[in-house]
Amino acid sequence: MGQKVDKDRYSEAEFLRFRGKLAEQLDTLREVLARPGFGAGPATIGAELEMFLITPDGRPLPRNHEVQAAADDDRLTLELGRFNLEANLTPLPIAGRPFSALVREMREIMAVVDAAAATQGGQAVAIGILPSLSEFDFTHEALSGEGRYRALARGMRRLRTEPFRVRVEGVELLELEVEGVILESANTSWQVHLRTTPADFARVYNAAQLAIGPVLAVSGNSPSFLGRRLWEETRIALFEEAADDRDVERLDRRDRRVGFGSGWVQSIEEMFETCVRDYEPVLPMTSAPEEVPVGCVPKLAELRLHQGTVWQWNRPVYDPRDGGHLRVEMRALPAGPSAPDMAANTAFLLGLTAALAVRPVEDFPFAGAYRNFYRAAIHGLDAPLSWPGLSEEVPAERLALDLLPVAEAGLDRMGVDPDETRWALDIVRERVVRRRTGSIWQREALAREVGDQAAAARVVSRYRELSLAGDPVHTWPF
């Protein structure tokens, strides 16, 4: 979705031509993946940090284009909502001290955005869902001005003519209808990329599918939306329903465009084939015929663009840069609460994924991993989770503590410095022991305020103050 889209309206002939390109590029992808040595190289990680722009009193600030221009930093890109920005952090080897490096760059880029936002009378904050959002923030004017987002909105409306219906049942019930995809902008995330070889891809991907349940349970940071107390990670439900392009006649014919999946995968080829077969294009931008220099790999621009409009919680990535490689993009973690919290969540997720990938996880029922993911999103630390080798379900907080040594072993296998591992996983351990996730902090902070929009804005301001102080959320006072 970071590719430049040249216009926002497309004809049916252009959609047809784009589908033809996808079929051609699937064949090319299979050939590339079969090349000896393709994708070889050390394991690296990258990350994308989405953030909200806010006013000094904690309300959303719809000025992302102006803030990006003022920042003049190539790492920053616009997001769908005019009050969102995304920072693409520098990829780095996972061996050594990667999580400390992530913290340093997160703090640096947040300072850059803060300084740029100040020129527009604003600030930046990393939080899963902004508690001070109101229904009046999701008008057509809230959509970013870039052509790709206007084209995305039109492409989704081409597939789904009726309104997007959102229903989230948590502590309270949220039901609403909107005419477009603008509700996607209510969610901001911390997306982690792990490079892996073609031979290892399926094992690593399936391991990430199993690992994300307990990690999400201890990482919640989105407990409410529009003043209602919902899931511990309300982002999961909101994004799935706000981008569901299926009309009423197609609800059972395929998975949602945003979803967890429906089974263990066998190969990355299978995932791209499913994406092309099951999901209609929404951004049919075609490029000129590609001439690939000797020793290089094709860009596969159309295939990558289409894959970027199908938002699995764990998603395959083909990247032609630096000789070409594959990544697993892990998209389910929320932005915030602090840089150390996001680094710790990353360490837990990557370590657990590495440990589980040593051998296939397919003997564990996929339905168990599926239930774990959604139960974690709904109930957080109290979610009843199943796990390989356990005869019964256990609370997520207990399972997470039991899995920290497993994650430690996985990080050791990838060459992470032992002191780095202990520092990161100790943050997770303390968060669980003290029962203080970002969602729990927000929920209790909001309960201490009078329940109106001004109260939510005050909580946002206090949250930002503590986040920028740099301490993990389990140490935050109320």
Side-chain angles (χ1 to χ4, degrees):
M1 277 299 295
Q3 293 170 247
K4 185 72 174 177
V5 175
D6 54 4
K7 59 182 181 179
D8 56 19
R9 294 180 184 273
Y10 293 90
S11 68
E12 289 302 314
E14 288 173 303
F15 277 97
L16 183 62
R17 185 161 57 249
F18 186 85
R19 283 192 288 269
K21 284 272 216 175
L22 293 179
E24 294 172 7
Q25 291 181 6
L26 277 178
D27 290 337
T28 305
L29 176 66
R30 296 185 195 101
E31 295 171 3
V32 171
L33 294 176
R35 292 181 187 178
F38 170 78
T44 60
I45 59 172
E48 304 167 48
L49 173 59
E50 298 172 346
M51 61 197 90
F52 279 96
L53 301 175
I54 59 172
T55 63
D57 61 355
R59 294 277 299 128
L61 176 71
R63 305 279 289 176
N64 64 352
H65 189 277
E66 295 84 351
V67 172
Q68 182 195 38
D72 192 24
D73 191 307
D74 290 340
R75 292 172 293 180
L76 295 176
T77 62
L78 301 181
E79 271 295 319
L80 185 139
R82 294 197 68 227
F83 39 72
N84 304 134
L85 270 180
E86 177 182 279
N88 294 280
L89 304 192
T90 308
L92 69 163
I94 196 167
R97 302 184 66 88
F99 309 118
S100 297
L102 286 175
V103 169
R104 286 193 297 272
E105 190 168 11
M106 276 189 273
R107 288 173 172 166
E108 175 201 339
I109 196 66
M110 286 292 290
V112 168
V113 176
D114 243 9
T119 68
Q120 305 298 314
Q123 303 167 334
V125 65
I127 189 169
I129 294 177
L130 196 67
S132 55
L133 287 166
S134 77
E135 52 267 45
F136 303 109
D137 294 312
F138 300 102
T139 63
H140 179 72
E141 289 73 25
L143 195 71
S144 282
E146 278 214 341
R148 71 176 182 268
Y149 292 120
R150 293 193 299 270
L152 173 67
R154 289 194 171 97
M156 295 286 279
R157 291 296 294 159
R158 172 180 171 270
L159 299 178
R160 181 183 175 114
T161 56
E162 66 264 18
F164 290 81
R165 296 180 177 88
V166 173
R167 188 180 194 278
V168 184
E169 188 172 354
V171 179
E172 298 177 274
L173 177 64
L174 172 70
E175 290 185 294
L176 68 160
E177 289 187 357
V178 292
E179 292 299 322
V181 295
I182 188 60
L183 280 181
E184 291 182 36
S185 64
N187 308 287
T188 58
S189 60
W190 166 248
Q191 299 163 19
V192 179
H193 292 244
L194 175 63
R195 176 172 172 169
T196 186
T197 64
D200 293 336
F201 183 88
R203 284 192 298 109
V204 173
Y205 182 89
N206 288 336
Q209 290 279 81
L210 181 55
I212 189 58
V215 178
L216 185 65
V218 304
S219 306
N221 197 33
S222 313
S224 63
F225 180 53
L226 300 184
R228 292 170 179 83
R229 296 171 296 158
L230 300 167
W231 293 9
E232 290 294 280
E233 255 310 300
T234 303
R235 290 169 42 257
I236 302 300
L238 184 58
F239 193 11
E240 288 193 356
E241 301 215 356
D244 190 355
D245 65 321
R246 302 172 301 173
D247 60 32
V248 293
E249 296 179 355
R250 296 184 295 177
L251 290 180
D252 298 323
R253 287 174 53 188
R254 61 161 170 81
D255 293 337
R256 296 174 188 265
R257 209 169 186 104
V258 183
F260 186 74
S262 54
W264 301 120
V265 305
Q266 303 300 315
S267 68
I268 189 169
E269 296 98 320
E270 166 202 334
M271 299 196 71
F272 276 93
E273 289 163 3
T274 299
C275 179
V276 171
R277 182 189 68 233
D278 290 353
Y279 299 94
E280 284 287 318
V282 292
L283 288 176
M285 184 184 74
T286 55
S287 54
E290 184 180 1
E291 293 187 10
V292 183
V294 176
C296 297
V297 297
K299 294 180 180 178
L300 304 182
E302 285 80 5
L303 187 59
R304 289 165 50 226
L305 178 62
H306 180 60
Q307 186 73 25
T309 65
V310 179
W311 299 280
Q312 299 111 313
W313 292 114
N314 289 308
R315 183 165 67 177
V317 175
Y318 165 86
D319 193 329
R321 290 176 295 181
D322 303 322
H325 64 272
L326 305 177
R327 300 194 301 272
V328 178
E329 181 187 8
M330 306 172 187
R331 303 172 44 81
L333 295 176
S338 70
D341 283 306
M342 288 183 277
N345 296 341
T346 305
F348 192 19
L349 179 55
L350 294 182
L352 196 52
T353 296
L356 292 170
V358 171
R359 59 184 61 86
V361 301
E362 289 84 356
D363 288 342
F364 185 72
F366 181 81
Y370 184 96
R371 283 194 300 269
N372 282 354
F373 178 75
Y374 289 101
R375 286 177 176 180
I378 296 169
H379 302 294
L381 295 177
D382 297 321
L385 304 183
S386 56
W387 198 254
L390 296 182
S391 59
E392 59 183 10
E393 295 173 344
V394 297
E397 59 181 339
R398 175 181 150 192
L399 180 61
L401 293 175
D402 290 343
L403 291 176
L404 287 175
V406 179
E408 184 175 0
L411 293 173
D412 183 65
R413 286 187 65 251
M414 291 192 287
V416 177
D417 183 280
D419 289 339
E420 179 91 340
T421 294
R422 282 191 290 271
W423 165 78
L425 296 184
D426 278 349
I427 291 174
V428 177
R429 180 178 292 105
E430 287 300 309
R431 190 192 303 156
V432 174
V433 169
R434 300 188 192 192
R435 290 187 60 85
R436 182 64 63 83
T437 64
S439 285
I440 292 171
W441 186 92
Q442 287 187 54
R443 195 166 58 245
E444 294 189 9
L446 287 165
R448 285 168 161 77
E449 292 279 357
V450 177
D452 58 13
Q453 204 68 27
R458 288 194 296 272
V459 169
V460 170
S461 296
R462 179 61 172 152
Y463 171 102
R464 179 181 181 277
E465 175 188 340
L466 293 167
S467 177
L468 291 183
D471 295 323
V473 70
H474 69 263
T475 68
W476 289 10
F478 291 104

